[in-house]
Amino acid sequence: MKARRAAATQFTSTPIVITEKTERIAPKPAASEGVTRPAGIGRFAVRAIRASKGEKAPQVEFANLTEADLMEGDVTVAVDYSTVNYKDGLALTGAAPIIRAWPLIPGIDFSGKVEKSDNPKFKPGDRVVLNGYGVGEGHSGGYAQKARVKGDWLVKLPEAISNEQAMAIGTAGYTSMLSVLALEKNGVKSGSDVVVTGAAGGVGSVAIAILAKLGYRVIASTGRASEADYLKGPGADGVIDRNELSSPAKPLAKERWAGAVACVG
């Protein structure tokens, strides 16, 4: 499994400390075999990042598991890629109570290939992607070589999109596109002014690129003035300080935008 970075986000809470787990999931080889196999590395080993509940912050470790350690589901996927999202950072550091079941494999999305399936919609070899459904929160997610999930949570990937590209888009890109579709559904047409809050984040920056490509005039709202050039790169026509949106509104003020992608509420 390879991870892709979804957004440049700093976490100021407890640092993530990842330790090596030395549990054994395969029997020791007989002395006559003349070989030594590292503890935990067996024929059916699943390498994973696992978070366990700690006193002040999650205890995060690399662990060698078996398929029996995976959570319930009717489809087993060999994970190729996942992403590192803001929510993943909160989960791993314990900065917010994201994880609801312990121990848990984090990772709120992944792409990969079906290995086993008891779901009629999928067969071994199908390339799939997963976003959401509480994965990485209450159900083990993408930070492992394998994941077992409900088939209803999976979407087959079209031939035009590789597993790597699916996670280059990731949850951030998926959320951005859903936002743009919602604007269109509600009558906000190309050429309209749209403001994007939290514009320097993963969802915001992808939303800017999509909206600009579709012909909208995009105004980026950010608390980091130093990111102005970066925001104009994907297509922002203007950049405003986020404080403009947090100050009290004036009575009968002029309408400024036809719609918004509000990434920070």
Side-chain angles (χ1 to χ4, degrees), residues 2-264:
K2 301 177 183 178
R4 297 193 66 92
R5 181 166 163 268
T9 306
Q10 293 183 344
F11 296 94
T12 57
S13 56
T14 307
I16 303 171
V17 179
I18 300 178
T19 60
E20 283 290 334
K21 185 68 174 178
T22 56
E23 65 187 76
R24 178 174 298 280
I25 61 171
K28 292 182 179 180
S32 60
E33 293 179 22
V35 297
T36 301
R37 175 174 291 171
I41 304 298
R43 181 180 178 188
F44 301 107
V46 177
R47 191 71 164 160
I49 295 176
R50 185 169 62 177
S52 302
K53 193 169 187 177
E55 291 186 8
K56 296 183 178 180
Q59 301 298 309
V60 184
E61 63 194 6
F62 286 109
N64 298 308
L65 311 175
T66 67
E67 288 192 15
D69 295 309
L70 300 178
M71 299 182 82
E72 292 184 0
D74 53 8
V75 180
T76 301
V77 179
V79 177
D80 289 327
Y81 296 92
S82 185
T83 66
V84 181
N85 291 273
Y86 183 74
K87 184 180 286 186
D88 296 313
L90 294 176
L92 289 167
T93 60
I98 301 298
I99 298 178
R100 303 191 301 272
W102 305 93
L104 190 84
I105 299 168
I108 66 171
D109 55 18
F110 62 78
S111 64
K113 186 179 292 186
V114 172
E115 281 198 344
K116 301 177 183 177
S117 176
D118 293 322
N119 187 303
K121 297 178 182 178
F122 299 95
K123 64 183 185 303
D126 285 344
R127 296 187 307 109
V128 294
V129 63
L130 184 147
N131 299 94
Y133 290 100
V135 169
E137 301 174 50
H139 192 99
S140 285
Y143 292 175
Q145 292 173 317
K146 295 184 182 183
R148 185 186 293 127
V149 297
K150 293 182 179 180
D152 291 343
W153 300 350
L154 297 170
V155 175
K156 289 183 181 179
L157 281 170
E159 289 298 322
I161 299 179
S162 69
N163 292 5
E164 181 177 11
Q165 289 170 331
M167 284 296 100
I169 296 168
T171 296
Y174 176 66
T175 304
S176 301
M177 192 67 231
L178 288 177
S179 301
V180 174
L181 291 173
L183 289 173
E184 293 179 336
K185 182 178 179 180
N186 286 278
V188 181
K189 300 185 182 300
S190 178
S192 302
D193 289 3
V194 175
V195 64
V196 177
T197 66
V203 175
S205 56
V206 177
I208 290 172
I210 295 172
L211 289 165
K213 183 71 173 180
L214 293 174
Y216 292 86
R217 184 174 183 275
V218 186
I219 306 301
S221 169
T222 182
R224 294 177 278 177
S226 59
E227 300 287 358
D229 289 340
Y230 164 75
L231 294 170
K232 290 177 181 178
D237 294 285
V239 179
I240 63 172
D241 191 292
R242 67 184 176 195
N243 290 326
E244 289 190 36
L245 302 178
S246 59
S247 58
K250 296 180 180 180
L252 301 177
K254 181 181 178 181
E255 180 183 277
R256 298 178 65 180
W257 306 291
V261 177
C263 303
V264 292

